Amino acid sequence: MDLSRRGFFKVLGAGGAALGAGVRTANATELPIPSLDSLGCLVDTTLCVGCRKCEQACNQRNSLPAPAESFEELTVLEKERRMDETSYTVVNKYYPENIGTLTWRERPTFVKFQCMHCNDPSCVSACIVGALTKEKNGAVIYDAKKCIGCRYCMIACPFQVPAYEYKKALAPQVRKCTFCFEYVEDGGLPACAQVCPREVMTFGKKKDLLKLAEWKMKNNPGKYVDHIYGEKEVGGTSWLYLASEPFETIGFPKLSHDAPPRLTEKIQHSLFQYFAAPIILYTFLGGVMMATGFMKNGKKKTEDIASERGDNHESS
Ligand code: SF4
Ligand code: SF4
Ligand code: SF4
């Protein structure tokens, strides 16, 4: 999946350069970067026991289809999973690679994943019709009425979050965690945070969450690695994580501190601001659709190969 993504960006870069040769480079629009008063969630992975109650609560709140295996089935944790169009959040289990000096390394780490609700989201920047927006409260939300199904957001997301309803013949949509936007706007909690019996997630203002994360690290020497994931990655995210393991060993991509959307934005502005011929746009969108189809097939193939080999972990 990674290879196809990198390959796609190479093609995209070449295409962007070709477009740029014929037109002036447009100025990128500034996206609203929310203040530290915006909302977020701090996930303390050291507290999670992998009960999957958060997955179930999310499924119910969003009226998603029932999974093939019940939420009580914990053997699913043995295989690394990703979010998809029927699961906006998944919990994965990671066994320690080395028993080191940290006291918590004798147990597996459970990690709940969902959309990170980035401060400067690539998906928002990539969407050419404004179907994805970054809200003042920190949530990144999707408007199905505006979406044209190009799936560019899927390519752009550095966390590979947005999923597409490939199996739905009529009006398929992009699907991802909504941050329980309506509930949060009304002063409520995200369903996953509300239900968690271990209080793994703390919901609140980002500035308070960062203080809490620092307090936890200072007052529990040896328990956490010295890193708040999401504080700086891709320009910061509304969801923040603490862990006892280096993040790259528990399913998190190692990402730069710079927000990545500018390449995609430059291309869009070249296309629209300078009235590039529609044929260029359709060729471009066709390429994106082929690429996302290729990624989906690539993932299927990888899963098949992994299952034939009897691997425990899906390659990402
Ligand atoms: S409900 Fe809480 S403890 Fe259970 S899997 Fe989700 S985050 Fe972990
Ligand atoms: S994690 Fe991906 S889908 Fe979520 S806001 Fe960031 S770029 Fe968008
Ligand atoms: S915030 Fe809401 S939509 Fe997102 S994972 Fe939690 S319950 Fe699901």
Side-chain angles (χ1 to χ4, degrees):
M1 199 159 183
D2 238 18
L3 275 176
S4 59
R5 180 176 295 251
R6 269 198 291 271
F8 178 82
F9 271 117
K10 258 190 207 161
V11 174
L12 192 61
L19 283 167
V23 292
R24 283 183 293 137
T25 306
N27 290 328
T29 310
E30 287 308 316
L31 284 164
I33 299 187
S35 73
L36 287 173
D37 279 328
S38 68
L39 297 167
C41 244
L42 173 66
V43 184
D44 185 342
T45 61
T46 66
L47 300 174
C48 180
V49 291
C51 67
R52 300 185 67 208
K53 295 266 186 284
C54 50
E55 291 185 27
Q56 185 170 19
C58 178
N59 175 283
Q60 285 165 357
R61 179 165 284 180
N62 293 290
S63 306
L64 297 170
E69 288 174 293
S70 89
F71 287 107
E72 276 75 52
E73 182 53 68
L74 299 184
T75 56
V76 299
L77 298 172
E78 298 302 327
K79 185 178 180 218
E80 191 177 36
R81 297 172 295 153
R82 294 215 57 79
M83 289 73 71
D84 63 25
E85 66 278 20
T86 62
S87 322
Y88 295 173
T89 184
V90 293
V91 180
N92 284 332
K93 183 179 187 179
Y94 297 92
Y95 290 96
E97 286 185 9
N98 299 299
I99 305 294
T101 50
L102 291 177
T103 51
W104 284 75
R105 287 195 174 182
E106 285 142 32
R107 66 187 282 277
T109 301
F110 298 93
V111 186
K112 174 196 182 294
F113 293 101
Q114 70 297 300
C115 169
M116 299 288 284
H117 297 274
C118 308
N119 290 353
D120 194 352
S122 308
C123 59
V124 170
S125 173
C127 180
I128 56 179
V129 292
L132 286 150
T133 48
K134 176 76 177 173
E135 300 299 316
K136 280 208 181 86
N137 70 3
V140 173
I141 60 168
Y142 168 73
D143 183 347
K145 290 195 285 306
K146 289 186 183 164
C147 179
I148 55 170
C150 70
R151 286 162 266 154
Y152 196 3
C153 54
M154 292 171 67
I155 295 284
C157 172
F159 299 99
Q160 299 177 257
V161 166
Y164 192 66
E165 294 176 313
Y166 286 101
K167 291 182 190 147
K168 204 166 166 188
L170 288 176
Q173 293 180 21
V174 169
R175 296 289 206 153
K176 70 165 201 72
C177 158
T178 63
F179 208 175
C180 291
F181 180 70
E182 287 89 4
Y183 291 84
V184 167
E185 276 291 275
D186 283 348
L189 286 172
C192 52
Q194 192 170 7
V195 81
C196 177
R198 299 273 302 162
E199 298 183 15
V200 167
M201 287 151 278
T202 307
F203 176 77
K205 286 188 181 172
K206 233 182 119 175
K207 64 178 180 196
D208 298 329
L209 298 179
L210 286 167
K211 274 189 208 146
L212 174 63
E214 275 154 20
W215 183 90
K216 282 190 174 213
M217 289 195 294
K218 192 172 165 208
N219 288 284
N220 296 281
K223 182 171 175 182
Y224 300 102
V225 291
D226 186 20
H227 184 176
I228 305 169
Y229 193 94
E231 181 184 12
K232 298 206 172 119
E233 277 78 8
V234 293
T237 59
S238 296
W239 283 67
L240 304 165
Y241 286 80
L242 286 177
S244 58
E245 299 284 317
F247 283 95
E248 58 272 23
T249 67
I250 53 169
F252 290 85
K254 212 174 165 85
L255 295 168
S256 123
H257 291 177
D258 298 323
R262 301 307 168 191
L263 169 65
T264 53
E265 208 165 57
K266 206 179 269 187
I267 293 167
Q268 287 166 36
H269 282 258
S270 298
L271 284 167
F272 287 106
Q273 188 168 330
Y274 299 98
F275 303 103
I279 188 71
I280 299 178
L281 174 61
Y282 293 137
T283 309
F284 177 69
L285 289 179
V288 170
M289 289 174 178
M290 273 175 62
T292 50
F294 176 66
M295 282 167 68
K296 180 177 157 254
N297 294 337
K299 183 174 182 239
K300 180 83 185 68
K301 267 189 207 141
T302 311
E303 280 169 356
D304 290 346
I305 292 165
S307 118
E308 274 161 27
R309 284 200 324 227
D311 286 1
N312 268 346
H313 294 278
E314 177 190 323
S315 52
S316 55

